[in-house]
Amino acid sequence: MTELRDLYQAVILDHNNNPRNFGKLTSANRHAKGVNPLCGDQVNVYFSLDDDAWVKEVGFEGRGCAICMASASIMTETVKHLSIVQADQYVTAFCSLAGGEKSEVTEGLDLSTLKVLAGVKAYPARIKCATLAWHTAHSALSKGGASVTTET
Ligand code: ZN
């Protein structure tokens, strides 16, 4: 598993240093905020959806650890230009992978980057850092933008 671990570190570094789609999206019509109090991660996720429920634009802003920021960046790249349904399938698939479970819906999904990011499961204390942005995206897309916290 050394190779996967190296790849994981490289992907986290790359996205943390050069976050994709970073910044508040002024055209957003969906938004949710997520917090992970255990680590101090905070992330705001913005979507601009068109009339047919496709993701036209997506953005995020926030502060947190490298894993949280990198994962948010990867999330935005993953769901951009997808339908809400497809985007949510990726969210579900990633959260399953990061939790060490088999994803139920994987047909037609490109999970290569997500499998690398799911290398976080080797560090159980950081899994919530990695899944925060994805849960937040799910809330923005499917649950009316309710705030998300990893602790209840
Ligand atoms: Zn964190």
Side-chain angles (χ1 to χ4, degrees), residues 23-129:
K24 186 175 178 177
L25 200 63
T26 48
S27 62
N29 48 20
R30 298 286 183 97
H31 162 251
K33 179 181 184 177
V35 294
N36 172 15
L38 287 182
C39 183
D41 302 317
Q42 293 191 18
V43 63
N44 282 282
V45 176
Y46 304 91
F47 289 98
S48 174
L49 304 178
D50 71 12
D51 294 341
D52 297 319
W54 283 71
V55 177
K56 269 198 309 192
E57 294 291 337
V58 52
F60 80 100
E61 60 173 7
R63 53 197 157 80
C65 66
I67 295 170
C68 176
M69 291 296 107
S71 185
S73 170
I74 291 167
M75 183 279 292
T76 62
E77 273 206 319
T78 303
V79 303
K80 199 171 187 176
H81 305 312
L82 297 181
S83 69
I84 289 184
V85 173
Q86 285 173 313
D88 227 24
Q89 283 175 344
Y90 275 102
V91 169
T92 306
F94 175 67
C95 291
S96 302
L97 287 170
E101 299 161 26
K102 266 200 126 158
S103 178
E104 287 172 23
V105 186
T106 54
E107 211 179 310
L109 303 188
D110 173 7
L111 298 176
S112 47
T113 306
L114 304 198
K115 281 181 176 163
V116 173
L117 183 61
V120 72
K121 61 180 183 271
Y123 315 92
R126 312 309 295 277
I127 291 173
K128 287 174 178 172
C129 301

